[in-house]
Amino acid sequence: MGVSPFSILSELLGRKSGCARGKGGSMHMYCENFYGGNGIVGAQVPLGAGIALAHQYKGDGGVNIALYGDGAANQGQLFEAFNMAKLWKLPSIFVCENNGYGMGTSAERAAANTNYYTRGDMIPGIWVDGMDVLAVREATRFARQMCAEEKGPVVLETVTYRYSGHSMSDPGTSYRTREEIQEVRAHRDPIHSLKDKILQAELATAEELKVIDTDVKEEIDRAVKDAKADGEISMEELPADIYSENLEPYIRGITAVDKLKHLNIGSRVNYA
């Protein structure tokens, strides 16, 4: 599972080497066992419950992790998915990434109950410091084990923070102060916190960590350069790979009379 930095950056730039051939962009990345984002707020949660049902039906031991933000936590379809998941004891881990501001409104102004880990009703919930790498790992491990023992589903609330705005159109400072952002960056940053833990436990030296930082930066710089040099898909490929098994020869274009030829170019991912 997972793809390279080059594949991700190529997708961000709309290039053909992207994990979705450049057609998904930042929101609709897709690869094996990763089902991408969704254009409808919160809609990935019931889809995740459906994937968990498939795991249960096939008995393959798989567990689905469906992530959503505090802004999506008030969507009605989440509670429908929670109810079905609990009724059927689905191997689902529902993760609320609570950054405190949703798209641009503080959680206190948007939700009557901001204890998101309690909002699964009959589903057990766990509060997790989302800025602590080890805490997130252990909470996920625990929730995974619960699902493996047919004690799922589980709700995890990972309390986190975003330094930047929600999108390019959001400066990120109209609903919070720059001082608040600097305070979190200085005292709660997950990478710096993990680095301190590693040094305190003497698992690595500062020099060894510096080498890792340098290697990572060089890898990303190479990936950015290669992604910018990569080409885009052809116009003929735009309607390709919409269906794994297309039952009709054409795809509807902008209007009903616009008919585009469907092609199968890439391999069928997550098809089984």
Side-chain angles (χ1 to χ4, degrees):
M1 180 176 173
V3 295
S4 68
F6 169 63
S7 182
I8 292 174
L9 288 163
S10 295
E11 189 62 35
L12 291 173
L13 295 175
R15 302 299 200 251
K16 63 184 179 182
S17 295
C19 55
R21 300 284 292 171
K23 295 190 287 184
S26 63
M27 193 170 184
H28 302 286
M29 294 189 183
Y30 201 83
C31 66
E32 185 177 0
N33 292 327
F34 184 81
Y35 292 80
N38 197 287
I40 301 173
V41 174
Q44 70 275 12
V45 176
L47 290 176
I51 295 170
L53 176 61
H55 285 309
Q56 185 187 71
Y57 182 81
K58 293 190 290 185
D60 59 12
V63 173
N64 178 264
I65 302 177
L67 298 97
Y68 59 98
D70 52 297
N74 299 316
Q75 286 284 321
Q77 58 193 321
L78 267 73
F79 300 97
E80 296 178 38
F82 288 172
N83 184 56
M84 287 189 290
K86 181 60 179 179
L87 280 173
W88 297 336
K89 297 182 174 61
L90 297 183
S92 298
I93 303 174
F94 300 110
V95 181
C96 177
E97 298 175 283
N98 179 12
N99 66 43
Y101 290 101
M103 184 175 171
T105 304
S106 67
E108 288 74 16
R109 293 180 59 198
N113 177 10
T114 57
N115 294 318
Y116 295 101
Y117 70 98
T118 69
R119 294 175 64 173
D121 194 12
M122 299 299 292
I123 300 177
I126 304 172
W127 185 96
V128 188
D129 182 356
M131 304 291 271
D132 186 325
V133 175
L134 299 182
V136 173
R137 183 190 69 172
E138 291 308 307
T140 305
R141 191 201 304 270
F142 180 78
R144 171 71 178 83
Q145 186 61 35
M146 286 186 65
C147 290
E149 296 174 355
E150 299 184 353
K151 296 177 182 178
V154 183
V155 173
L156 298 185
E157 177 189 352
T158 56
V159 178
T160 182
Y161 198 84
R162 57 174 166 79
Y163 301 136
S164 302
H166 173 77
S167 64
M168 292 177 65
S169 61
D170 173 19
T173 54
S174 60
Y175 44 85
R176 57 184 179 173
T177 65
R178 297 183 185 277
E179 290 74 22
E180 178 184 306
I181 300 171
Q182 294 168 357
E183 175 73 13
V184 175
R185 193 186 287 272
H187 298 100
R188 292 182 56 210
D189 184 85
I191 296 178
H192 292 163
S193 173
L194 180 62
K195 178 180 177 180
D196 291 341
K197 289 183 175 69
I198 291 173
L199 293 174
Q200 290 169 9
E202 298 182 348
L203 297 174
T205 65
E207 290 73 22
E208 290 171 328
L209 294 180
K210 187 174 182 179
V211 170
I212 294 174
D213 283 341
T214 301
D215 290 343
V216 169
K217 290 175 182 177
E218 290 177 352
E219 180 181 4
I220 298 303
D221 287 342
R222 286 195 302 270
V224 170
K225 181 180 179 181
D226 293 343
K228 287 181 177 180
D230 195 27
E232 299 178 354
I233 62 173
S234 65
M235 292 295 290
E236 290 74 20
E237 190 179 336
L238 286 177
D241 295 327
I242 294 175
Y243 299 108
S244 58
E245 295 182 13
N246 186 40
L247 301 179
E248 298 184 10
Y250 296 101
I251 300 296
R252 184 186 187 279
I254 297 175
T255 67
V257 297
D258 293 325
K259 295 182 178 180
L260 306 174
K261 185 175 178 57
H262 185 273
L263 302 173
N264 286 112
I265 297 176
S267 59
R268 297 185 294 187
V269 182
N270 299 319
Y271 178 71

mmCIF file of all heavy atoms in Angstrom, residues 194-213:
data_model
loop_
_atom_site.group_PDB
_atom_site.id
_atom_site.type_symbol
_atom_site.label_atom_id
_atom_site.label_comp_id
_atom_site.label_asym_id
_atom_site.label_seq_id
_atom_site.Cartn_x
_atom_site.Cartn_y
_atom_site.Cartn_z
ATOM 1 N N LEU A 194 8.431 14.032 18.104
ATOM 2 C CA LEU A 194 8.991 12.691 17.904
ATOM 3 C C LEU A 194 10.511 12.735 17.890
ATOM 4 O O LEU A 194 11.176 11.845 18.444
ATOM 5 C CB LEU A 194 8.461 12.097 16.598
ATOM 6 C CG LEU A 194 8.962 10.688 16.270
ATOM 7 C CD1 LEU A 194 8.519 9.691 17.343
ATOM 8 C CD2 LEU A 194 8.481 10.244 14.898
ATOM 9 N N LYS A 195 11.062 13.769 17.284
ATOM 10 C CA LYS A 195 12.519 13.925 17.271
ATOM 11 C C LYS A 195 13.060 14.013 18.696
ATOM 12 O O LYS A 195 14.062 13.367 19.033
ATOM 13 C CB LYS A 195 12.895 15.176 16.486
ATOM 14 C CG LYS A 195 14.382 15.465 16.436
ATOM 15 C CD LYS A 195 14.666 16.731 15.637
ATOM 16 C CE LYS A 195 16.153 17.050 15.644
ATOM 17 N NZ LYS A 195 16.448 18.291 14.877
ATOM 18 N N ASP A 196 12.383 14.789 19.550
ATOM 19 C CA ASP A 196 12.823 14.915 20.943
ATOM 20 C C ASP A 196 12.753 13.566 21.665
ATOM 21 O O ASP A 196 13.651 13.221 22.446
ATOM 22 C CB ASP A 196 11.957 15.938 21.681
ATOM 23 C CG ASP A 196 12.197 17.369 21.192
ATOM 24 O OD1 ASP A 196 13.257 17.604 20.577
ATOM 25 O OD2 ASP A 196 11.327 18.226 21.422
ATOM 26 N N LYS A 197 11.690 12.807 21.414
ATOM 27 C CA LYS A 197 11.547 11.485 22.048
ATOM 28 C C LYS A 197 12.663 10.545 21.613
ATOM 29 O O LYS A 197 13.208 9.780 22.420
ATOM 30 C CB LYS A 197 10.184 10.876 21.713
ATOM 31 C CG LYS A 197 8.994 11.548 22.387
ATOM 32 C CD LYS A 197 7.706 10.805 22.042
ATOM 33 C CE LYS A 197 6.500 11.371 22.797
ATOM 34 N NZ LYS A 197 6.131 12.716 22.328
ATOM 35 N N ILE A 198 13.000 10.596 20.331
ATOM 36 C CA ILE A 198 14.076 9.734 19.812
ATOM 37 C C ILE A 198 15.410 10.075 20.467
ATOM 38 O O ILE A 198 16.175 9.190 20.865
ATOM 39 C CB ILE A 198 14.169 9.878 18.276
ATOM 40 C CG1 ILE A 198 12.935 9.248 17.613
ATOM 41 C CG2 ILE A 198 15.445 9.232 17.745
ATOM 42 C CD1 ILE A 198 12.855 9.496 16.115
ATOM 43 N N LEU A 199 15.675 11.374 20.590
ATOM 44 C CA LEU A 199 16.934 11.799 21.192
ATOM 45 C C LEU A 199 16.984 11.456 22.683
ATOM 46 O O LEU A 199 18.022 10.991 23.194
ATOM 47 C CB LEU A 199 17.132 13.305 20.995
ATOM 48 C CG LEU A 199 17.345 13.764 19.551
ATOM 49 C CD1 LEU A 199 17.379 15.285 19.479
ATOM 50 C CD2 LEU A 199 18.638 13.168 18.989
ATOM 51 N N GLN A 200 15.875 11.650 23.393
ATOM 52 C CA GLN A 200 15.826 11.351 24.818
ATOM 53 C C GLN A 200 16.006 9.865 25.086
ATOM 54 O O GLN A 200 16.629 9.459 26.070
ATOM 55 C CB GLN A 200 14.502 11.831 25.408
ATOM 56 C CG GLN A 200 14.379 13.349 25.474
ATOM 57 C CD GLN A 200 12.975 13.818 25.812
ATOM 58 O OE1 GLN A 200 12.111 13.019 26.164
ATOM 59 N NE2 GLN A 200 12.734 15.125 25.692
ATOM 60 N N ALA A 201 15.461 9.024 24.191
ATOM 61 C CA ALA A 201 15.588 7.570 24.350
ATOM 62 C C ALA A 201 16.907 7.058 23.779
ATOM 63 O O ALA A 201 17.174 5.851 23.849
ATOM 64 C CB ALA A 201 14.426 6.872 23.668
ATOM 65 N N GLU A 202 17.706 7.963 23.220
ATOM 66 C CA GLU A 202 19.005 7.633 22.631
ATOM 67 C C GLU A 202 18.878 6.567 21.544
ATOM 68 O O GLU A 202 19.712 5.666 21.407
ATOM 69 C CB GLU A 202 19.993 7.177 23.716
ATOM 70 C CG GLU A 202 20.278 8.267 24.748
ATOM 71 C CD GLU A 202 21.290 7.834 25.791
ATOM 72 O OE1 GLU A 202 21.598 6.624 25.847
ATOM 73 O OE2 GLU A 202 21.789 8.697 26.527
ATOM 74 N N LEU A 203 17.805 6.674 20.747
ATOM 75 C CA LEU A 203 17.614 5.758 19.632
ATOM 76 C C LEU A 203 18.408 6.204 18.411
ATOM 77 O O LEU A 203 18.667 5.407 17.500
ATOM 78 C CB LEU A 203 16.122 5.674 19.277
ATOM 79 C CG LEU A 203 15.203 5.120 20.369
ATOM 80 C CD1 LEU A 203 13.748 5.220 19.941
ATOM 81 C CD2 LEU A 203 15.560 3.672 20.688
ATOM 82 N N ALA A 204 18.764 7.471 18.388
ATOM 83 C CA ALA A 204 19.583 8.021 17.308
ATOM 84 C C ALA A 204 20.218 9.303 17.808
ATOM 85 O O ALA A 204 19.762 9.905 18.784
ATOM 86 C CB ALA A 204 18.737 8.282 16.067
ATOM 87 N N THR A 205 21.277 9.709 17.135
ATOM 88 C CA THR A 205 21.939 10.954 17.492
ATOM 89 C C THR A 205 21.369 12.097 16.649
ATOM 90 O O THR A 205 20.714 11.877 15.624
ATOM 91 C CB THR A 205 23.447 10.853 17.247
ATOM 92 O OG1 THR A 205 23.677 10.695 15.833
ATOM 93 C CG2 THR A 205 24.039 9.677 17.997
ATOM 94 N N ALA A 206 21.641 13.315 17.081
ATOM 95 C CA ALA A 206 21.185 14.482 16.329
ATOM 96 C C ALA A 206 21.776 14.487 14.925
ATOM 97 O O ALA A 206 21.120 14.889 13.959
ATOM 98 C CB ALA A 206 21.574 15.763 17.077
ATOM 99 N N GLU A 207 23.013 14.017 14.801
ATOM 100 C CA GLU A 207 23.661 13.971 13.493
ATOM 101 C C GLU A 207 22.965 12.976 12.573
ATOM 102 O O GLU A 207 22.773 13.237 11.371
ATOM 103 C CB GLU A 207 25.138 13.593 13.646
ATOM 104 C CG GLU A 207 26.011 14.665 14.284
ATOM 105 C CD GLU A 207 25.751 14.815 15.785
ATOM 106 O OE1 GLU A 207 25.229 13.845 16.387
ATOM 107 O OE2 GLU A 207 26.046 15.899 16.331
ATOM 108 N N GLU A 208 22.579 11.826 13.115
ATOM 109 C CA GLU A 208 21.887 10.818 12.303
ATOM 110 C C GLU A 208 20.520 11.332 11.828
ATOM 111 O O GLU A 208 20.110 11.097 10.685
ATOM 112 C CB GLU A 208 21.717 9.530 13.110
ATOM 113 C CG GLU A 208 23.025 8.783 13.350
ATOM 114 C CD GLU A 208 22.875 7.635 14.318
ATOM 115 O OE1 GLU A 208 22.029 7.726 15.242
ATOM 116 O OE2 GLU A 208 23.605 6.629 14.163
ATOM 117 N N LEU A 209 19.816 12.039 12.698
ATOM 118 C CA LEU A 209 18.524 12.603 12.316
ATOM 119 C C LEU A 209 18.693 13.692 11.258
ATOM 120 O O LEU A 209 17.842 13.836 10.367
ATOM 121 C CB LEU A 209 17.804 13.164 13.548
ATOM 122 C CG LEU A 209 17.383 12.145 14.604
ATOM 123 C CD1 LEU A 209 16.673 12.834 15.760
ATOM 124 C CD2 LEU A 209 16.475 11.072 13.999
ATOM 125 N N LYS A 210 19.771 14.430 11.357
ATOM 126 C CA LYS A 210 20.035 15.477 10.364
ATOM 127 C C LYS A 210 20.267 14.865 8.993
ATOM 128 O O LYS A 210 19.826 15.412 7.968
ATOM 129 C CB LYS A 210 21.246 16.308 10.787
ATOM 130 C CG LYS A 210 21.486 17.527 9.909
ATOM 131 C CD LYS A 210 22.609 18.389 10.457
ATOM 132 C CE LYS A 210 22.807 19.633 9.590
ATOM 133 N NZ LYS A 210 23.890 20.505 10.126
ATOM 134 N N VAL A 211 20.937 13.716 8.959
ATOM 135 C CA VAL A 211 21.166 13.017 7.686
ATOM 136 C C VAL A 211 19.839 12.580 7.076
ATOM 137 O O VAL A 211 19.612 12.712 5.868
ATOM 138 C CB VAL A 211 22.084 11.792 7.890
ATOM 139 C CG1 VAL A 211 22.118 10.926 6.633
ATOM 140 C CG2 VAL A 211 23.489 12.241 8.260
ATOM 141 N N ILE A 212 18.932 12.077 7.936
ATOM 142 C CA ILE A 212 17.603 11.673 7.454
ATOM 143 C C ILE A 212 16.858 12.867 6.881
ATOM 144 O O ILE A 212 16.256 12.784 5.799
ATOM 145 C CB ILE A 212 16.790 11.022 8.597
ATOM 146 C CG1 ILE A 212 17.433 9.699 9.022
ATOM 147 C CG2 ILE A 212 15.334 10.797 8.168
ATOM 148 C CD1 ILE A 212 16.794 9.064 10.233
ATOM 149 N N ASP A 213 16.893 13.990 7.596
ATOM 150 C CA ASP A 213 16.230 15.211 7.104
ATOM 151 C C ASP A 213 16.771 15.624 5.738
ATOM 152 O O ASP A 213 16.012 15.964 4.823
ATOM 153 C CB ASP A 213 16.434 16.356 8.095
ATOM 154 C CG ASP A 213 15.548 16.249 9.322
ATOM 155 O OD1 ASP A 213 14.549 15.514 9.252
ATOM 156 O OD2 ASP A 213 15.852 16.900 10.336
#
